[in-house]
């Protein structure tokens, strides 16, 4: 339902129980539609109306609220630091002598010792996903554990975005189709390293 239709429904509330339910739904739909239009403030206040009629928070409202908060965080980050800095994405594949070096750009707001957590996580995931296929296709890789043909890679990106040349170092293990054996082992390594340094991703 478009924002205008929702507003008409809200204006025609007669105060009856049926009308109250329709009004409540209209607030939620209006909130969704305002969120899509990028009006985060108005979307939040429609959610407040929905919550007050519902006498407490319920799921459809909560998940939309989380999305709005994340959008707020990203928007604030862009407003605080609209500039980007050159950075280095260094991919260290197990068994390779030299790392692959990829030039990238990063928002200057993330270049500090304690960057905002959610946007920093999203950025690491974005860089890993962006280059995963290209790295896979670079050459035929062999499994780090059993030397069979690799069909996937397990990433462990560690953030060094606070350095004078901001960097992400990604420790990568190519894995074969034997997921239970070589893949599980690679995941255990990655999880151990992620606890020590960054986070690990499987695309
Ligand atoms: Zn293997």
């Amino acid at each position: 339902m478009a924002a205008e239709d929702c507003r008409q429904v809200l204006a025609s509330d007669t105060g009856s129980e049926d009308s109250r339910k329709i009004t409540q739904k209209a607030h939620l739909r209006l909130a969704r539609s305002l969120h899509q239009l990028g009006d985060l403030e108005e979307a939040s206040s429609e959610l407040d109306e929905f919550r007050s009629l519902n006498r407490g928070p319920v799921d459809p409202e909560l998940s939309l609220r989380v999305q709005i908060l994340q959008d707020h965080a990203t928007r604030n980050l862009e407003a605080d630091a609209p500039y980007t800095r050159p950075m280095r994405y260094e991919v260290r594949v197990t068994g390779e002598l030299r790392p692959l070096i990829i030039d990238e750009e990063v928002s200057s707001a993330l270049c500090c010792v304690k960057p905002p957590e959610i946007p920093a996580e999203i950025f690491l995931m974005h860089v890993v996903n962006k280059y995963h296929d290209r790295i896979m296709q670079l050459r035929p890789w062999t499994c780090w554990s059993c030397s069979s043909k690799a069909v996937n890679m397990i990433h462990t990106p560690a953030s060094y975005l606070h350095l004078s040349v901001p960097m992400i170092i990604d420790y990568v293990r190519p894995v074969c189709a034997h997921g239970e054996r070589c893949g599980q082992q690679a995941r255990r390594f990655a999880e151990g390293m992620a606890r020590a340094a960054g986070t690990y991703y499987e695309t």
Side-chain angles (χ1 to χ4, degrees):
M1 205 189 301
E4 228 15 77
D5 298 336
C6 295
R7 288 204 173 94
Q8 272 174 22
V9 170
L10 291 174
S12 65
D13 188 353
T14 59
S16 70
E17 180 62 14
D18 282 349
S19 182
R20 195 185 69 86
K21 279 184 189 150
I22 292 167
T23 295
Q24 193 184 355
K25 273 189 191 146
H27 280 303
L28 185 61
R29 286 187 181 146
L30 183 53
R32 282 208 184 104
S33 147
L34 289 165
H35 174 238
Q36 278 166 6
L37 293 171
D39 192 342
L40 304 181
E41 315 296 334
E42 283 297 310
S44 297
S45 58
E46 287 305 321
L47 282 184
D48 292 340
E49 295 285 341
F50 173 82
R51 179 180 290 195
S52 71
L53 289 172
N54 208 51
R55 297 179 195 93
V58 288
D59 184 52
E61 180 219 327
L62 288 178
S63 50
L64 182 55
R65 227 175 252 277
V66 169
Q67 281 174 34
I68 291 175
L69 285 174
Q70 287 179 350
D71 287 357
H72 256 301
T74 310
R75 198 175 274 186
N76 289 342
L77 189 76
E78 283 164 0
D80 288 350
Y83 307 106
T84 59
R85 287 175 56 183
M87 63 149 279
R88 202 162 78 177
Y89 177 41
E90 194 173 303
V91 182
R92 299 191 183 174
V93 181
T94 303
E96 290 293 297
L97 291 176
R98 288 171 194 280
L100 302 165
I101 310 281
I102 296 166
D103 292 323
E104 253 297 342
E105 297 266 314
V106 58
S107 159
S108 52
L110 296 178
C111 300
C112 54
V113 180
K114 277 202 172 296
E117 212 172 308
I118 293 171
E121 282 269 315
I122 291 172
F123 180 69
L124 252 64
M125 213 149 57
H126 159 77
V127 172
V128 166
N129 286 327
K130 183 171 172 186
Y131 293 103
H132 174 82
D133 289 345
R134 270 183 255 180
I135 300 168
M136 269 309 285
Q137 285 154 16
L138 213 54
R139 70 178 83 138
W141 298 98
T142 52
C143 175
W144 71 284
S145 170
C146 74
S147 307
S148 307
K149 180 181 179 295
V151 296
N152 197 10
M153 289 181 151
I154 291 183
H155 297 263
T156 319
S159 169
Y160 297 94
L161 296 174
H162 59 288
L163 299 181
S164 58
V165 177
M167 280 206 294
I168 293 173
I169 300 184
D170 189 4
Y171 298 91
V172 173
R173 285 171 196 268
V175 289
C176 66
H178 302 296
E180 330 74 69
R181 196 183 58 208
C182 305
Q184 286 303 339
Q185 256 175 306
R187 262 176 224 109
R188 272 199 294 279
F189 273 109
E191 278 160 8
M193 283 177 64
R195 270 195 294 278
T199 342
Y200 102 95
Y201 298 111
E202 218 175 321
T203 55

